[in-house]
Amino acid sequence: MQFTVTHTEGQARRGVLHTPHGVVETPVFMPVGTRGAVKAITHRDLEDAGAQIILGNTYHLHLRPGDDAIARAGGLHRFIGWPHSILTDSGGYQVFSLAQMRKVTEDGVTFRSHLDGALCALTPEKATDIQAQLGSDIAMVLDECVAAEEDGGGRAEGGGRRTEGGGRRTEGGGRRTEGGKDKDHVREAMERSARWAQRCRTRLLQLREGPVDGVLVTNAGQAQFGIIQGGTDPALRAESVQRTVEVGFDAYAIGGLSVGEPVEVMYDVVAHTAPRLPADRPRYLMGTGLPDDLVECVARGIDMFDCVLPTRNARNGQLLTAQGVIVIKNARYTEDPLPPDPDCGCYTCRHFSRAYLRHLFTAGEMTGATLLTVHNLYFYLDLMRRIREALSFGSFEKLRQEFHQAFSRR
Amino acid sequence: MQFTVTHTEGQARRGVLHTPHGVVETPVFMPVGTRGAVKAITHRDLEDAGAQIILGNTYHLHLRPGDDAIARAGGLHRFIGWPHSILTDSGGYQVFSLAQMRKVTEDGVTFRSHLDGALCALTPEKATDIQAQLGSDIAMVLDECVAAEEDGGGRAEGGGRRTEGGGRRTEGGGRRTEGGKDKDHVREAMERSARWAQRCRTRLLQLREGPVDGVLVTNAGQAQFGIIQGGTDPALRAESVQRTVEVGFDAYAIGGLSVGEPVEVMYDVVAHTAPRLPADRPRYLMGTGLPDDLVECVARGIDMFDCVLPTRNARNGQLLTAQGVIVIKNARYTEDPLPPDPDCGCYTCRHFSRAYLRHLFTAGEMTGATLLTVHNLYFYLDLMRRIREALSFGSFEKLRQEFHQAFSRR
């Protein structure tokens, strides 16, 4: 993996990331394809919308169809027919948000599959092996996700912003981690995550050396990212950065945010953490966010994003536009001949009216979900394109101001 | 509407149909877009698959979003953003298959909406007005559908081969219409349909003259097709042809088939009826069928087809191929790296394996339904393309033999 920063403006950066499956221009938004498919959209429409890299969920793919089968098919790219870059998470977040009867020890985590209740175990080594078999271009380390942990069973149905397929967004996870015992837990989890990170790295280096335990490595050029934890405590975050960077990864992600904390707190943690990460490596903020979050976190030094909001909200009938959210089922759109977003150049906005899209949702036609997904992803990806362009011309701050003038967060 | 037969081989014909929205090459298959959208596929993918004309269901669109609203939006083409040709059925078939508490009189039919139970009435004049407001390129007359009638309440859930959105196919409707009292009913319905046809024609001619009762005519060039009824009785069919052709329509359809009668009976009725229809007008067989039905009915003189099978079966995980049906969820495809149909040139077959498509269905990803719909429609439309080409070269009979050698009807 190669990464070059080509332009900067304040903390914001424009760059180019080379993976074994192509070039990714940053800042980049990665659509979430939990089970090897971004929901409600074909790969072709995803390419048309400008997607350069998508995210797959290790937990889901490990359970079904299984990383062994995917490895035998030649890896995830070949299995799902997506020739561009793929990042896989480690499965940790899903274990902590979806699985039942979770038990964490120093060795790893045991849990029951949300599909059939089967007993499963995930260790740092196992998470690394699974991703080696999937052959994603970027693998993530296994980390202990505190906020999800603290929120307990209430999230089993949801899945938060990093897993497609659940119902509601996960709210209220982060706030409980601030007080006494919870703060100890945040520290413990951060320290354990750092030790797990080391084990993940050691395992990947072993796999790069040669065959280990029958693991089929399907992408020899796979990169591995460490994950910074530490909740909302600046000192813990700084310590997590130090310990994780010491291990030495290809790049680093900020985890444990967008789990219910106030958005200003999230911005502060990002502003505090991102500049501490190596400047010559991409910085990935996991599971964020709304369009204004992307703008604000680029301004704080983030290069990579993923979130289920554009795709999940599309299926719920919500369009994200430069002005804010449009709830397409509202009666006011019954005979509205305007495109969803008159300024948008996507297939949906160039061909269809709000009235027609509302009709599709009212009638329960799944094409409605597809057309809104096409728009929302185009809007996110186009926003990132405009951000990159502004960074080239030194006009990012101007774009940022103009964006906030138009955009209303509900 | 202009129609020219350019090639013939036996009873089979190749032709060109000009509508206000473009050229339709026949024989043609029309995908069914019940509520103004062909299920699980975007217009763009539909165009890519080669669709020249789609079908909209008058009954559904009248109930929701309403033909008044669609007329105010400029007609169905503009409302749904489909710039090519559209045919609308009259709503009669759906009233007889979906609606509850149906009551037929000479004036028309009253029924309760399957959506909210509201009391509605459909007369020949009303069916003509609604379609004038929808502004389809081809409107159909209101007919009394006996087979659906005889099958009664059992079909309320289904909807048969001419309406998307129901569950199972409708079986067993036609057979009960052969005996004594039922035969009387078939004759009565045929005769009433002929009288209704005259009223539909009179109404359309009035609407062409000038404004009537506030009806917004959104497509001045709309054609109107009569429908031949008469069940499986050759004499009744011949009489229906005579009476309906006497009225004088732009073209004619054969209705009341593919409602459960044995396939050989259907072929016989088509072979008996089609040649009796004016040779210089397209002949449309309503609601048929499987791929071999298309080949056999082209051989018997049919120019136009519609059916929900390719789209409905796709959503149920069934691929239609030159060899027959593939049930993609079968365990044998778990690690099958082949494309669904190795001989097919569609987007799905060029990019995805059976194993991946099976995974999408097993995981409940709606993209699976989309990819199978893309394939099935491409297969149907490509078959029609090949039929047209064969007719140009006088090799249709050869294609027909080769088709049957490869294709297995389950």
Side-chain angles (χ1 to χ4, degrees):
Chain A
M1 191 190 83
Q2 273 196 317
F3 180 66
T4 313
V5 174
T6 57
H7 305 79
T8 60
E9 185 178 334
Q11 292 293 324
R13 307 125 54 90
R14 175 173 186 170
V16 183
L17 177 67
H18 291 264
T19 82
H21 287 86
V23 170
V24 176
E25 296 190 85
T26 64
V28 67
F29 178 80
M30 303 181 283
V32 177
T34 294
R35 303 183 177 100
V38 178
K39 282 190 188 298
I41 186 170
T42 61
H43 291 355
R44 179 161 61 178
D45 285 346
L46 207 49
E47 287 169 340
D48 272 4
Q52 312 172 69
I53 175 170
I54 61 174
L55 186 144
N57 284 116
T58 293
Y59 168 87
H60 291 82
L61 294 167
H62 168 60
L63 293 181
R64 185 172 58 191
D67 46 297
D68 288 341
I70 290 174
R72 281 192 294 269
L76 189 56
H77 293 83
R78 287 190 61 180
F79 181 72
I80 73 171
W82 174 258
H84 315 292
S85 301
I86 300 177
L87 179 147
T88 45
D89 62 7
S90 65
Y93 183 87
Q94 281 70 39
V95 169
F96 289 99
S97 61
L98 286 179
Q100 283 143 30
M101 296 189 60
R102 195 170 44 248
K103 196 181 160 201
V104 186
T105 65
E106 184 59 24
D107 187 48
V109 53
T110 55
F111 60 94
R112 291 200 178 272
S113 157
H114 75 290
L115 292 180
D116 59 3
L119 195 66
C120 307
L122 201 58
T123 62
E125 291 77 15
K126 178 82 181 162
T128 308
D129 290 353
I130 295 172
Q131 293 178 84
Q133 295 215 117
L134 295 177
S136 53
D137 298 291
I138 299 170
M140 304 301 299
V141 297
L142 182 69
D143 54 344
E144 185 179 348
C145 301
V146 171
E149 167 87 328
E150 300 292 275
D151 198 29
R155 305 185 77 178
E157 177 206 12
R161 290 185 179 183
R162 285 173 56 198
T163 319
E164 274 284 21
R168 60 206 172 76
R169 277 174 54 197
T170 52
E171 300 286 357
R175 271 159 294 190
R176 294 178 52 206
T177 62
E178 299 312 303
K181 175 161 171 273
D182 287 342
K183 184 161 177 182
D184 289 348
H185 191 174
V186 174
R187 164 167 285 284
E188 282 164 25
M190 181 275 283
E191 291 178 349
R192 177 173 285 146
S193 292
R195 293 190 296 273
W196 284 3
Q198 179 63 66
R199 286 167 56 191
C200 287
R201 191 65 187 170
T202 302
R203 184 65 166 195
L204 186 74
L205 297 179
Q206 281 176 349
L207 289 168
R208 283 186 186 166
E209 294 287 311
V212 181
D213 297 347
V215 175
L216 263 174
V217 176
T218 59
N219 184 351
Q222 185 180 58
Q224 190 183 43
F225 285 17
I227 303 177
I228 309 305
Q229 289 289 351
T232 56
D233 183 311
L236 284 184
R237 285 279 171 184
E239 194 177 331
S240 179
V241 167
Q242 194 214 325
R243 288 181 174 221
T244 311
V245 172
E246 259 175 25
V247 176
F249 288 96
D250 297 294
Y252 302 89
I254 301 177
L257 291 178
S258 291
V259 290
E261 76 283 357
V263 67
E264 295 75 19
V265 173
M266 189 262 280
Y267 291 169
D268 285 349
V269 174
V270 171
H272 172 265
T273 309
R276 288 177 157 71
L277 293 169
D280 60 345
R281 307 295 167 97
R283 301 158 178 162
Y284 163 30
L285 177 60
M286 304 182 83
T288 299
L290 278 166
D292 52 346
D293 296 333
L294 305 189
V295 174
E296 285 310 298
C297 293
V298 165
R300 288 162 176 79
I302 297 297
D303 306 297
M304 301 171 69
F305 299 90
D306 78 286
C307 192
V308 299
L309 281 181
T311 38
R312 182 182 297 169
N313 287 20
R315 297 196 305 284
N316 293 333
Q318 293 184 36
L319 286 148
L320 293 154
T321 76
Q323 280 71 49
V325 174
I326 288 180
V327 178
I328 200 65
K329 284 183 84 165
N330 280 351
R332 59 191 288 202
Y333 302 122
T334 305
E335 298 202 26
D336 190 335
L338 288 178
D341 181 350
D343 296 330
C344 178
C346 82
Y347 170 69
T348 302
C349 290
R350 280 185 289 111
H351 291 85
F352 305 105
S353 67
R354 294 171 181 174
Y356 178 58
L357 297 175
R358 178 179 188 274
H359 166 64
L360 293 178
F361 267 86
T362 309
E365 287 286 334
M366 58 190 272
T367 313
T370 296
L371 292 176
L372 263 60
T373 300
V374 165
H375 167 79
N376 280 359
L377 283 179
Y378 183 95
F379 176 69
Y380 267 61
L381 295 165
D382 188 56
L383 174 60
M384 302 315 282
R385 258 192 303 265
R386 290 188 291 121
I387 288 173
R388 290 194 297 270
E389 195 173 277
L391 284 167
S392 293
F393 291 102
S395 59
F396 172 68
E397 192 54 36
K398 182 163 169 285
L399 178 151
R400 183 182 176 188
Q401 302 298 334
E402 288 173 358
F403 178 86
H404 288 301
Q405 272 168 24
F407 188 80
S408 150
R409 198 177 171 106
R410 290 237 174 188
Chain B
M1 193 190 81
Q2 273 197 318
F3 180 67
T4 312
V5 174
T6 58
H7 304 79
T8 59
E9 185 179 335
Q11 292 293 322
R13 306 125 53 90
R14 176 172 184 168
V16 183
L17 178 67
H18 292 264
T19 83
H21 287 86
V23 170
V24 176
E25 295 189 86
T26 65
V28 66
F29 178 81
M30 304 182 282
V32 177
T34 294
R35 302 183 177 101
V38 178
K39 283 192 188 295
I41 185 170
T42 61
H43 292 353
R44 179 161 60 177
D45 285 346
L46 208 48
E47 286 169 342
D48 272 4
Q52 311 172 68
I53 175 170
I54 61 174
L55 187 146
N57 285 115
T58 293
Y59 168 86
H60 290 82
L61 293 167
H62 168 60
L63 293 181
R64 184 172 59 191
D67 46 297
D68 289 342
I70 290 173
R72 283 192 294 269
L76 189 56
H77 294 83
R78 288 190 60 179
F79 181 71
I80 73 172
W82 174 258
H84 314 292
S85 301
I86 300 177
L87 179 148
T88 45
D89 63 8
S90 63
Y93 183 86
Q94 280 70 38
V95 169
F96 289 98
S97 61
L98 286 178
Q100 282 143 30
M101 297 190 60
R102 197 170 43 248
K103 196 182 161 201
V104 187
T105 66
E106 184 59 25
D107 187 47
V109 52
T110 56
F111 59 94
R112 291 200 178 272
S113 158
H114 75 291
L115 292 179
D116 59 5
L119 195 65
C120 307
L122 201 58
T123 62
E125 291 76 16
K126 179 82 181 163
T128 308
D129 290 354
I130 295 171
Q131 292 179 84
Q133 295 216 118
L134 295 176
S136 53
D137 298 291
I138 298 170
M140 303 302 299
V141 298
L142 183 67
D143 55 344
E144 185 178 349
C145 301
V146 172
E149 168 86 328
E150 300 292 275
D151 198 29
R155 306 185 77 177
E157 177 205 11
R161 291 185 177 182
R162 286 173 54 199
T163 320
E164 275 284 21
R168 60 207 170 75
R169 277 173 54 198
T170 52
E171 300 286 357
R175 270 158 295 189
R176 293 180 51 205
T177 62
E178 299 312 302
K181 176 161 171 274
D182 287 344
K183 185 161 175 182
D184 288 348
H185 191 173
V186 174
R187 163 166 285 283
E188 282 164 25
M190 182 276 284
E191 290 177 351
R192 178 174 283 148
S193 291
R195 293 190 296 272
W196 283 3
Q198 179 63 65
R199 285 167 57 190
C200 286
R201 191 65 188 171
T202 302
R203 185 65 167 195
L204 186 74
L205 296 179
Q206 282 176 348
L207 289 167
R208 282 186 186 166
E209 294 287 311
V212 181
D213 297 346
V215 175
L216 262 175
V217 176
T218 58
N219 185 350
Q222 184 180 58
Q224 189 183 43
F225 284 17
I227 303 177
I228 309 304
Q229 289 289 352
T232 56
D233 183 310
L236 285 183
R237 284 281 171 183
E239 193 177 331
S240 179
V241 168
Q242 193 214 325
R243 288 180 176 221
T244 312
V245 173
E246 259 176 26
V247 176
F249 288 97
D250 297 294
Y252 301 88
I254 301 177
L257 291 179
S258 291
V259 289
E261 76 285 357
V263 68
E264 294 75 19
V265 173
M266 190 261 280
Y267 292 169
D268 285 349
V269 174
V270 172
H272 172 265
T273 309
R276 288 178 157 73
L277 293 169
D280 61 344
R281 309 295 168 94
R283 301 159 179 162
Y284 163 29
L285 176 59
M286 305 182 83
T288 299
L290 278 166
D292 51 346
D293 296 333
L294 305 189
V295 173
E296 285 311 299
C297 293
V298 165
R300 288 162 175 79
I302 298 297
D303 306 297
M304 302 171 68
F305 299 89
D306 80 285
C307 192
V308 299
L309 280 181
T311 38
R312 182 182 296 168
N313 287 20
R315 298 196 305 285
N316 293 333
Q318 292 184 36
L319 286 148
L320 293 155
T321 76
Q323 280 72 48
V325 174
I326 288 181
V327 178
I328 200 65
K329 284 183 86 166
N330 281 351
R332 59 191 289 200
Y333 302 121
T334 306
E335 298 203 27
D336 190 334
L338 287 178
D341 182 349
D343 296 330
C344 177
C346 83
Y347 170 69
T348 302
C349 290
R350 281 186 289 110
H351 291 86
F352 305 105
S353 67
R354 295 170 181 176
Y356 179 57
L357 296 175
R358 179 178 188 274
H359 166 64
L360 293 178
F361 267 86
T362 310
E365 287 287 335
M366 59 190 269
T367 312
T370 297
L371 293 177
L372 263 59
T373 300
V374 165
H375 167 79
N376 280 358
L377 283 179
Y378 182 95
F379 176 70
Y380 267 63
L381 295 165
D382 188 55
L383 174 61
M384 302 314 282
R385 258 191 302 266
R386 289 188 292 121
I387 287 174
R388 290 194 297 270
E389 195 174 277
L391 284 166
S392 293
F393 291 101
S395 59
F396 171 68
E397 193 54 36
K398 182 162 169 285
L399 179 150
R400 184 182 176 189
Q401 301 298 334
E402 287 173 357
F403 178 86
H404 288 301
Q405 271 167 26
F407 188 79
S408 151
R409 199 177 171 107
R410 291 235 177 187

